Amino acid sequence: MTGPEGNFTFDNEKFEAAFQAALQMKKRDHPSFIGGMKVASGLDFVVKSPIDGSISFGSFQEPEAGITEYAVDVALKVHTQWAKLSLKERIGYFENLLGMIKAQRYRLAAMVLLSSGMTRQEAVAEVDRLIDVISSLCRTSENSLKGKTGVWGIITSYNSPLASPVGHAAAAAIAGNTAVVMPSKYCPSPVYMIYDMMENVGLPSGVMNIIVDRKDMTYEQLANDSRLEGILISGSGEYLEEMIFLQVDDELKVLNELKGMNPIIVHRPGDINAAARDILESAFRYNGQGLFSSSKIIVTADDSSKLINALLEKAREMKIGDPADTDTFAGPIISPANSKKFVQTTDKIRGNILYGAKKVEDEFTRNGEYFTPAIITGLDDDNDLMFMDSGLPILCIKAVQDLDSAMEELEETECGLSAGIMSKDHRATERFLSEADVKFKFVNESSASLRPAVYARAEEFLK
């Protein structure tokens, strides 16, 4: 396996050693970290692994009233000195951090797997994405940094549990900001590991501050703090979608990177089996929970039956189970709450399910949230699943008459960050590339080719 830049290798033996070591790690307390100080509330909660509920990472602290305001207070004070450092000095800290991340690549990946349920290949790729991001940030030019700095709020979910929160925090810091980071409540441990590394390389206390909120109560408080220069929201989940409608200060810069349907048009594909393979990888790697996971296929009529048959044939080959096994296609749904939502959602449309939506029952999976992903067709156009992403391993198929209809359907879909096309028709691909209104586009390949947080550029964190 190679990473995003093609220069990363994958060593199963090294990963296995790191994974076994991670399983034996001593449980620890995880307070909030604000200004380098451990801040406890006395209201602790345990975070468990989605791959096996008997595995836990120790206790975390629920934030008490006023903690976000305090975190911003501290970050503002630290910002005064941090922004005075030269770009070269700021980058120097992250060059040292990058060295530590590279040295502990498999250890970090093992924690990503245990925390999120990504397969071992996906977990290593998540670490490699972070390596790419920080490597790119360390090449930031002074000429690109023209703007005001301050304190940024960074709120991310489990869709990219390491590269997104840490990559964006690094981008903000290199630009001269300090940050209050709120990683996913489901898998915060990898971010805490990076925080330990930041302390080891001497990053000044308070440049990065961490709060984990089990009840999703403090996100809005942070976003509504008028002292922030900006806020980044990345991932999926109801609380993130609701934040789009917050009455935030007009002067607050907001970077929304919410997961959408990342739809794929299929029109005269050159190889229907290759298209089906890429679609299933786009849809169901990380059990459909990745930032670029696709949840809608728009297929033109002539290819509809052939595509469905190819999808069903290849879907039966997918192994859903222990993500640490080398032959596993996808692991568990991230949480009991999400799996309950998956069951409730698919039960309502049971007659439209072509494949999946069944609990995986074996000796290993009984302690986790393991389900076969759902492939669905024939839904009414007004069904939410046809135009809004569910954040679940559900792939909806929409058959349309022709390419014109496919492009119209794409416009009606909440795409999110990306969209793709599978076609050997050059005119179709050229039209898609010129008309699709999304940040990232992919052609005749899986959306797994896209990299979360590669767009974490320092200049985006300036006003």
mmCIF file with all atom_site columns, all heavy atoms in Angstrom, residues 373-386:
data_model
loop_
_atom_site.group_PDB
_atom_site.id
_atom_site.type_symbol
_atom_site.label_atom_id
_atom_site.label_alt_id
_atom_site.label_comp_id
_atom_site.label_asym_id
_atom_site.label_entity_id
_atom_site.label_seq_id
_atom_site.pdbx_PDB_ins_code
_atom_site.Cartn_x
_atom_site.Cartn_y
_atom_site.Cartn_z
_atom_site.occupancy
_atom_site.B_iso_or_equiv
_atom_site.pdbx_formal_charge
_atom_site.auth_seq_id
_atom_site.auth_comp_id
_atom_site.auth_asym_id
_atom_site.auth_atom_id
_atom_site.pdbx_PDB_model_num
ATOM 1   N N   . PRO A 1 373 ? -23.557 -3.140 5.082  1.00 0.00 ? 373 PRO A N   1
ATOM 2   C CA  . PRO A 1 373 ? -24.056 -1.879 4.509  1.00 0.00 ? 373 PRO A CA  1
ATOM 3   C C   . PRO A 1 373 ? -25.275 -2.119 3.625  1.00 0.00 ? 373 PRO A C   1
ATOM 4   O O   . PRO A 1 373 ? -25.475 -3.225 3.107  1.00 0.00 ? 373 PRO A O   1
ATOM 5   C CB  . PRO A 1 373 ? -22.866 -1.383 3.679  1.00 0.00 ? 373 PRO A CB  1
ATOM 6   C CG  . PRO A 1 373 ? -21.679 -2.092 4.224  1.00 0.00 ? 373 PRO A CG  1
ATOM 7   C CD  . PRO A 1 373 ? -22.180 -3.424 4.686  1.00 0.00 ? 373 PRO A CD  1
ATOM 8   N N   . ALA A 1 374 ? -26.081 -1.084 3.462  1.00 0.00 ? 374 ALA A N   1
ATOM 9   C CA  . ALA A 1 374 ? -27.331 -1.209 2.717  1.00 0.00 ? 374 ALA A CA  1
ATOM 10  C C   . ALA A 1 374 ? -27.220 -0.576 1.337  1.00 0.00 ? 374 ALA A C   1
ATOM 11  O O   . ALA A 1 374 ? -26.750 0.555  1.191  1.00 0.00 ? 374 ALA A O   1
ATOM 12  C CB  . ALA A 1 374 ? -28.472 -0.552 3.494  1.00 0.00 ? 374 ALA A CB  1
ATOM 13  N N   . ILE A 1 375 ? -27.672 -1.328 0.319  1.00 0.00 ? 375 ILE A N   1
ATOM 14  C CA  . ILE A 1 375 ? -27.807 -0.801 -1.043 1.00 0.00 ? 375 ILE A CA  1
ATOM 15  C C   . ILE A 1 375 ? -29.291 -0.707 -1.344 1.00 0.00 ? 375 ILE A C   1
ATOM 16  O O   . ILE A 1 375 ? -30.028 -1.695 -1.217 1.00 0.00 ? 375 ILE A O   1
ATOM 17  C CB  . ILE A 1 375 ? -27.105 -1.709 -2.065 1.00 0.00 ? 375 ILE A CB  1
ATOM 18  C CG1 . ILE A 1 375 ? -25.606 -1.800 -1.753 1.00 0.00 ? 375 ILE A CG1 1
ATOM 19  C CG2 . ILE A 1 375 ? -27.322 -1.183 -3.483 1.00 0.00 ? 375 ILE A CG2 1
ATOM 20  C CD1 . ILE A 1 375 ? -24.861 -2.765 -2.655 1.00 0.00 ? 375 ILE A CD1 1
ATOM 21  N N   . ILE A 1 376 ? -29.748 0.479  -1.740 1.00 0.00 ? 376 ILE A N   1
ATOM 22  C CA  . ILE A 1 376 ? -31.178 0.771  -1.808 1.00 0.00 ? 376 ILE A CA  1
ATOM 23  C C   . ILE A 1 376 ? -31.539 1.363  -3.167 1.00 0.00 ? 376 ILE A C   1
ATOM 24  O O   . ILE A 1 376 ? -30.775 2.147  -3.742 1.00 0.00 ? 376 ILE A O   1
ATOM 25  C CB  . ILE A 1 376 ? -31.560 1.763  -0.683 1.00 0.00 ? 376 ILE A CB  1
ATOM 26  C CG1 . ILE A 1 376 ? -31.336 1.110  0.688  1.00 0.00 ? 376 ILE A CG1 1
ATOM 27  C CG2 . ILE A 1 376 ? -33.003 2.224  -0.816 1.00 0.00 ? 376 ILE A CG2 1
ATOM 28  C CD1 . ILE A 1 376 ? -31.420 2.073  1.829  1.00 0.00 ? 376 ILE A CD1 1
ATOM 29  N N   . THR A 1 377 ? -32.699 1.004  -3.670 1.00 0.00 ? 377 THR A N   1
ATOM 30  C CA  . THR A 1 377 ? -33.189 1.586  -4.916 1.00 0.00 ? 377 THR A CA  1
ATOM 31  C C   . THR A 1 377 ? -34.700 1.807  -4.825 1.00 0.00 ? 377 THR A C   1
ATOM 32  O O   . THR A 1 377 ? -35.379 1.241  -3.956 1.00 0.00 ? 377 THR A O   1
ATOM 33  C CB  . THR A 1 377 ? -32.863 0.666  -6.117 1.00 0.00 ? 377 THR A CB  1
ATOM 34  O OG1 . THR A 1 377 ? -33.142 1.362  -7.335 1.00 0.00 ? 377 THR A OG1 1
ATOM 35  C CG2 . THR A 1 377 ? -33.671 -0.604 -6.072 1.00 0.00 ? 377 THR A CG2 1
ATOM 36  N N   . GLY A 1 378 ? -35.216 2.636  -5.730 1.00 0.00 ? 378 GLY A N   1
ATOM 37  C CA  . GLY A 1 378 ? -36.666 2.828  -5.839 1.00 0.00 ? 378 GLY A CA  1
ATOM 38  C C   . GLY A 1 378 ? -37.290 3.739  -4.811 1.00 0.00 ? 378 GLY A C   1
ATOM 39  O O   . GLY A 1 378 ? -38.518 3.749  -4.666 1.00 0.00 ? 378 GLY A O   1
ATOM 40  N N   . LEU A 1 379 ? -36.504 4.541  -4.111 1.00 0.00 ? 379 LEU A N   1
ATOM 41  C CA  . LEU A 1 379 ? -37.083 5.466  -3.129 1.00 0.00 ? 379 LEU A CA  1
ATOM 42  C C   . LEU A 1 379 ? -37.771 6.626  -3.839 1.00 0.00 ? 379 LEU A C   1
ATOM 43  O O   . LEU A 1 379 ? -37.365 7.045  -4.928 1.00 0.00 ? 379 LEU A O   1
ATOM 44  C CB  . LEU A 1 379 ? -35.997 6.016  -2.206 1.00 0.00 ? 379 LEU A CB  1
ATOM 45  C CG  . LEU A 1 379 ? -35.373 5.060  -1.193 1.00 0.00 ? 379 LEU A CG  1
ATOM 46  C CD1 . LEU A 1 379 ? -34.307 5.795  -0.384 1.00 0.00 ? 379 LEU A CD1 1
ATOM 47  C CD2 . LEU A 1 379 ? -36.417 4.461  -0.269 1.00 0.00 ? 379 LEU A CD2 1
ATOM 48  N N   . ASP A 1 380 ? -38.805 7.154  -3.209 1.00 0.00 ? 380 ASP A N   1
ATOM 49  C CA  . ASP A 1 380 ? -39.457 8.354  -3.733 1.00 0.00 ? 380 ASP A CA  1
ATOM 50  C C   . ASP A 1 380 ? -38.479 9.522  -3.708 1.00 0.00 ? 380 ASP A C   1
ATOM 51  O O   . ASP A 1 380 ? -37.615 9.615  -2.819 1.00 0.00 ? 380 ASP A O   1
ATOM 52  C CB  . ASP A 1 380 ? -40.692 8.708  -2.893 1.00 0.00 ? 380 ASP A CB  1
ATOM 53  C CG  . ASP A 1 380 ? -41.790 7.661  -2.993 1.00 0.00 ? 380 ASP A CG  1
ATOM 54  O OD1 . ASP A 1 380 ? -41.813 6.942  -4.014 1.00 0.00 ? 380 ASP A OD1 1
ATOM 55  O OD2 . ASP A 1 380 ? -42.599 7.564  -2.048 1.00 0.00 ? 380 ASP A OD2 1
ATOM 56  N N   . ASP A 1 381 ? -38.633 10.423 -4.647 1.00 0.00 ? 381 ASP A N   1
ATOM 57  C CA  . ASP A 1 381 ? -37.716 11.559 -4.739 1.00 0.00 ? 381 ASP A CA  1
ATOM 58  C C   . ASP A 1 381 ? -37.751 12.453 -3.508 1.00 0.00 ? 381 ASP A C   1
ATOM 59  O O   . ASP A 1 381 ? -36.771 13.160 -3.229 1.00 0.00 ? 381 ASP A O   1
ATOM 60  C CB  . ASP A 1 381 ? -38.036 12.400 -5.979 1.00 0.00 ? 381 ASP A CB  1
ATOM 61  C CG  . ASP A 1 381 ? -37.614 11.705 -7.262 1.00 0.00 ? 381 ASP A CG  1
ATOM 62  O OD1 . ASP A 1 381 ? -36.754 10.804 -7.189 1.00 0.00 ? 381 ASP A OD1 1
ATOM 63  O OD2 . ASP A 1 381 ? -38.142 12.064 -8.338 1.00 0.00 ? 381 ASP A OD2 1
ATOM 64  N N   . ASP A 1 382 ? -38.865 12.457 -2.784 1.00 0.00 ? 382 ASP A N   1
ATOM 65  C CA  . ASP A 1 382 ? -38.951 13.328 -1.609 1.00 0.00 ? 382 ASP A CA  1
ATOM 66  C C   . ASP A 1 382 ? -38.428 12.663 -0.341 1.00 0.00 ? 382 ASP A C   1
ATOM 67  O O   . ASP A 1 382 ? -38.461 13.256 0.740  1.00 0.00 ? 382 ASP A O   1
ATOM 68  C CB  . ASP A 1 382 ? -40.386 13.807 -1.396 1.00 0.00 ? 382 ASP A CB  1
ATOM 69  C CG  . ASP A 1 382 ? -41.375 12.657 -1.179 1.00 0.00 ? 382 ASP A CG  1
ATOM 70  O OD1 . ASP A 1 382 ? -40.955 11.482 -1.302 1.00 0.00 ? 382 ASP A OD1 1
ATOM 71  O OD2 . ASP A 1 382 ? -42.553 12.935 -0.899 1.00 0.00 ? 382 ASP A OD2 1
ATOM 72  N N   . ASN A 1 383 ? -37.929 11.442 -0.445 1.00 0.00 ? 383 ASN A N   1
ATOM 73  C CA  . ASN A 1 383 ? -37.318 10.804 0.713  1.00 0.00 ? 383 ASN A CA  1
ATOM 74  C C   . ASN A 1 383 ? -35.988 11.477 1.020  1.00 0.00 ? 383 ASN A C   1
ATOM 75  O O   . ASN A 1 383 ? -35.174 11.709 0.128  1.00 0.00 ? 383 ASN A O   1
ATOM 76  C CB  . ASN A 1 383 ? -37.093 9.313  0.426  1.00 0.00 ? 383 ASN A CB  1
ATOM 77  C CG  . ASN A 1 383 ? -36.692 8.528  1.668  1.00 0.00 ? 383 ASN A CG  1
ATOM 78  O OD1 . ASN A 1 383 ? -35.673 8.794  2.286  1.00 0.00 ? 383 ASN A OD1 1
ATOM 79  N ND2 . ASN A 1 383 ? -37.509 7.544  2.026  1.00 0.00 ? 383 ASN A ND2 1
ATOM 80  N N   . ASP A 1 384 ? -35.750 11.794 2.287  1.00 0.00 ? 384 ASP A N   1
ATOM 81  C CA  . ASP A 1 384 ? -34.530 12.502 2.676  1.00 0.00 ? 384 ASP A CA  1
ATOM 82  C C   . ASP A 1 384 ? -33.264 11.795 2.203  1.00 0.00 ? 384 ASP A C   1
ATOM 83  O O   . ASP A 1 384 ? -32.259 12.440 1.882  1.00 0.00 ? 384 ASP A O   1
ATOM 84  C CB  . ASP A 1 384 ? -34.461 12.664 4.195  1.00 0.00 ? 384 ASP A CB  1
ATOM 85  C CG  . ASP A 1 384 ? -35.442 13.697 4.714  1.00 0.00 ? 384 ASP A CG  1
ATOM 86  O OD1 . ASP A 1 384 ? -36.048 14.398 3.891  1.00 0.00 ? 384 ASP A OD1 1
ATOM 87  O OD2 . ASP A 1 384 ? -35.613 13.799 5.950  1.00 0.00 ? 384 ASP A OD2 1
ATOM 88  N N   . LEU A 1 385 ? -33.298 10.473 2.157  1.00 0.00 ? 385 LEU A N   1
ATOM 89  C CA  . LEU A 1 385 ? -32.106 9.716  1.771  1.00 0.00 ? 385 LEU A CA  1
ATOM 90  C C   . LEU A 1 385 ? -31.714 9.962  0.314  1.00 0.00 ? 385 LEU A C   1
ATOM 91  O O   . LEU A 1 385 ? -30.583 9.643  -0.073 1.00 0.00 ? 385 LEU A O   1
ATOM 92  C CB  . LEU A 1 385 ? -32.332 8.216  1.980  1.00 0.00 ? 385 LEU A CB  1
ATOM 93  C CG  . LEU A 1 385 ? -32.444 7.745  3.422  1.00 0.00 ? 385 LEU A CG  1
ATOM 94  C CD1 . LEU A 1 385 ? -32.842 6.276  3.460  1.00 0.00 ? 385 LEU A CD1 1
ATOM 95  C CD2 . LEU A 1 385 ? -31.132 7.955  4.171  1.00 0.00 ? 385 LEU A CD2 1
ATOM 96  N N   . MET A 1 386 ? -32.601 10.546 -0.455 1.00 0.00 ? 386 MET A N   1
ATOM 97  C CA  . MET A 1 386 ? -32.312 10.777 -1.868 1.00 0.00 ? 386 MET A CA  1
ATOM 98  C C   . MET A 1 386 ? -31.549 12.074 -2.114 1.00 0.00 ? 386 MET A C   1
ATOM 99  O O   . MET A 1 386 ? -31.000 12.268 -3.197 1.00 0.00 ? 386 MET A O   1
ATOM 100 C CB  . MET A 1 386 ? -33.611 10.785 -2.675 1.00 0.00 ? 386 MET A CB  1
ATOM 101 C CG  . MET A 1 386 ? -34.271 9.425  -2.758 1.00 0.00 ? 386 MET A CG  1
ATOM 102 S SD  . MET A 1 386 ? -33.213 8.182  -3.533 1.00 0.00 ? 386 MET A SD  1
ATOM 103 C CE  . MET A 1 386 ? -33.133 8.787  -5.203 1.00 0.00 ? 386 MET A CE  1
#
